[in-house]
Amino acid sequence: MCFTSNYNTEEEIQFEMAVPKKRTSISKKRIRKNIWKKKGYCAALKAFSLAKSISTGNSKSFFVLKISTKNLE
């Protein structure tokens, strides 16, 4: 499959799309999907842990400015 581009009117540039040679097996597809899911799970776990540490005030990497209600009145 070729696509022509009108980038330059004097000469045509052709782009060819990459096509897989063989079909990916079900087991390989499942392994890749599980790796993808695990990355998302680890990222969510880190984000939840960071949010929990910030909310409890035990965060060592973030400095949170606490606003007291006494000064506002």
Side-chain angles (χ1 to χ4, degrees):
M1 179 182 277
C2 293
F3 295 105
T4 57
S5 174
N6 292 332
Y7 184 75
N8 194 349
T9 56
E10 294 175 3
E11 62 181 69
E12 285 191 14
I13 301 171
Q14 293 186 346
F15 301 103
E16 295 200 17
M17 294 183 66
V19 179
K21 289 184 179 179
K22 290 184 180 179
R23 183 178 173 166
T24 306
S25 67
I26 295 172
S27 63
K28 205 175 263 190
K29 189 188 299 185
R30 190 179 298 132
I31 289 167
R32 288 181 181 156
K33 189 175 183 181
N34 285 335
I35 290 170
W36 181 75
K37 283 182 182 178
K38 190 175 179 182
K39 283 183 182 178
Y41 176 76
C42 289
L45 199 64
K46 278 185 180 180
F48 183 72
S49 176
L50 181 63
K52 190 175 177 183
S53 68
I54 288 173
S55 68
T56 57
N58 295 331
S59 177
K60 305 246 188 274
S61 60
F62 275 87
F63 296 103
V64 181
L65 181 65
K66 294 184 179 180
I67 300 173
S68 63
T69 55
K70 293 177 185 176
N71 293 340
L72 295 176
E73 293 176 351

